Amino acid sequence: MRPAGAPRQLVLFRALVAGTSISAFGSYLNMVALNLFVYQATGSAMQTGGFMALRLGAGFVAGLGGGTVAARLPRRPVMVACDLTQAAALVGLVLAPSSVRLGLLPLVAVATGLLGTTSTVLLRSSVPDLVGAADRVTANGLLVTGRAIAMALGFAAGGVLVGWWGYRAAFLVDAGTFVVSAALLAALPLQFPSRRSRTAQPAAVKPKDGTRRHRRETLAALVAAPVILVVVLVRAVDALGSASHNVGLPVYATQIWPQDPAAFVGHFFAVWAVGLFAAHQVVRRLGTGRSGLDGPRRSETGFVVGTCLMSAAFIVAFTDLPGQWVLLVAFVAGAADGFTEITYTTRLQAEPDPQRGWFFGLTAMAENGGLGLGMLLAAGLLEVWRPLYVAAAMHGAVVVLTLGVVLFGLLHRPTATPVEGAPNPPADALAPTEGSRP
């Protein structure tokens, strides 16, 4: 049954999504403007790559500590502080003298990677408390839709703003989006999770001992729910495979459309973002409840199928298809990517708090670490292989892994032995209870 306050909670959550989408728009705008600024300021592709790697590394560290932050600190103030600190870092970059600006770039990379990932972990792990367990699929779809719109507009606006008004204007716009997001976070009357880890901890337990206890509880939860380890592993390999098209697509575009490769890449990712937006509509058609995707088994299956389909689509995208077919494949890849994100976040949110904060931190580590390693690997392979072969090898590994997970699950599916004389349990009785609390 859906709680009586769910409609109001969803209305408030939509306003929160609007705020986070505005800050995401600034982040994607910044990916264009800041990376170009770093390259022009340093004149070195190596230093530009180092800047991007530093930002990914900071995101990896944020995933490592995200569970501790979620369990130990009040989430709303932390998220507000993350937004305001990123805004301050960008304003500082704008106001700094030219002689100091280059030295501030590593600090900006760490701030955007560390604080952006921390905010994402806290928000995703709080969704069941913000909207209720029954509406978390809808809420996750709203987050994916907001990200799709922010991505399309941010990438499009980045080049325009830099071309018209310069880098400083782009950085100030980005800082303004973080301020708007922080204001909405602070003002909306949403009920974020309480600090259960502190209130439940006996007074005689020292903070260090409490941290160790939470780590032991998280390890115990991972052992009790090995499917979470599978999700983390698949996300890591998926991120590694995604590096092949992020690095390989500009190379491929230069080969097949040398007259305007930037237009090819822009069109591809614009259509991909449209597919990402469509994923929420697909989930809405599938519905929620017993027949929808919020059951653990169904969300697990949807996650595996979506990941496999996405990787297969990106392989096909490098097979010299005519223009309209490439765009169709980009749409399928975007829709599968959005569907995968909704299903995996829904599955992790079925776990109790504060464990799910640790689980989202682990997936953030997997995504940032996999993407960073994948970029290095893809860059090396592209020196000797065609983009198709690189995508086939790296995305093919994702497909093989997901199919292996399905096969392993079919071969090792537990069977319940009914007790003689006892009534048969309902179909979902053996599945973990969603929304349960310790």
Side-chain angles (χ1 to χ4, degrees):
M1 293 270 313
R2 180 175 294 183
R8 180 174 181 271
Q9 288 175 316
L10 276 177
V11 170
L12 293 173
F13 189 79
R14 288 176 189 272
L16 177 62
V17 171
T20 58
S21 299
I22 290 171
S23 66
F25 162 79
S27 296
Y28 288 117
L29 181 155
N30 209 25
M31 288 179 67
V32 177
L34 195 54
N35 289 343
L36 286 173
F37 175 78
V38 172
Y39 182 73
Q40 290 196 359
T42 63
S44 168
M46 181 66 70
Q47 292 189 50
T48 304
F51 176 87
M52 299 170 66
L54 183 59
R55 182 159 52 187
L56 287 172
F60 180 88
V61 173
L64 183 64
T68 301
V69 173
R72 290 286 175 186
L73 300 177
R75 299 185 189 182
R76 188 202 301 266
V78 172
M79 293 172 67
V80 171
C82 286
D83 282 342
L84 293 180
T85 304
Q86 290 181 83
L90 290 165
V91 172
L93 183 65
V94 170
L95 298 179
S98 300
S99 58
V100 179
R101 201 171 296 150
L102 193 61
L104 290 178
L105 290 176
L107 297 178
V108 174
V110 171
T112 54
L114 185 70
L115 301 178
T117 302
T118 298
S119 186
T120 299
V121 170
L122 297 182
L123 177 58
R124 287 179 173 179
S125 62
S126 301
V127 164
D129 297 89
L130 296 176
V131 301
D135 286 311
R136 69 182 193 277
V137 176
T138 300
N140 293 329
L142 291 172
L143 288 172
V144 169
T145 300
R147 183 168 74 91
I149 296 173
M151 181 182 296
L153 295 179
F155 281 149
V160 174
L161 281 176
V162 170
W164 286 358
W165 297 320
Y167 291 107
R168 290 189 176 186
F171 297 155
L172 289 175
V173 169
D174 187 15
T177 64
F178 284 115
V179 172
V180 171
S181 175
L184 280 173
L185 270 169
L188 289 173
L190 284 164
Q191 188 64 42
F192 279 82
S194 61
R195 287 171 285 177
R196 296 190 179 102
S197 59
R198 285 183 174 177
T199 57
Q201 179 177 302
V205 178
K206 295 180 180 180
K208 186 176 181 180
D209 295 334
T211 302
R212 290 174 179 172
R213 182 170 59 115
H214 278 289
R215 288 173 181 171
R216 288 197 299 268
E217 290 176 354
T218 303
L219 290 175
L222 284 172
V223 172
V227 69
I228 304 299
L229 284 174
V230 173
V231 171
V232 172
L233 176 61
V234 172
R235 290 300 290 178
V237 178
D238 178 28
L240 187 143
S242 296
S244 66
H245 66 258
N246 280 294
V247 178
L249 198 61
V251 178
Y252 178 69
T254 303
Q255 293 174 354
I256 68 167
W257 206 345
Q259 66 274 20
D260 195 356
F264 178 90
V265 175
H267 293 158
F268 185 94
F269 280 116
V271 176
W272 178 85
V274 173
L276 198 68
F277 176 83
H280 179 43
Q281 310 306 315
V282 173
V283 171
R284 288 181 60 186
R285 299 297 183 272
L286 293 175
T288 59
R290 289 182 177 271
S291 61
L293 290 172
D294 48 354
R297 285 280 181 88
R298 296 185 181 92
S299 57
E300 292 162 15
T301 302
F303 167 67
V304 169
V305 172
T307 301
C308 191
L309 178 61
M310 176 183 60
S311 290
F314 274 118
I315 295 173
V316 174
F318 287 93
T319 57
D320 295 331
L321 292 173
Q324 65 273 19
W325 291 105
V326 172
L327 296 181
L328 177 61
V329 170
F331 176 85
V332 172
D337 190 11
F339 183 79
T340 300
E341 183 172 342
I342 293 171
T343 50
Y344 106 81
T345 52
T346 299
R347 176 59 188 90
L348 265 59
Q349 288 162 1
E351 300 299 317
D353 203 30
Q355 284 90 341
R356 64 170 175 260
W358 289 91
F359 296 157
F360 276 108
L362 288 174
T363 57
M365 288 173 57
E367 291 164 357
N368 284 281
L371 186 61
L373 291 175
M375 285 186 171
L376 295 175
L377 179 60
L381 291 176
L382 283 168
E383 294 292 331
V384 294
W385 287 357
R386 291 177 54 195
L388 173 61
Y389 300 153
V390 176
M394 297 179 68
H395 274 297
V398 181
V399 175
V400 170
L401 177 64
T402 54
L403 294 178
V405 168
V406 172
L407 181 61
F408 182 84
L410 291 175
L411 294 177
H412 296 80
R413 179 177 295 174
T415 57
T417 304
V419 179
E420 186 175 354
N424 292 328
D428 290 343
L430 300 178
T433 302
E434 297 177 50
S436 60
R437 293 290 181 268

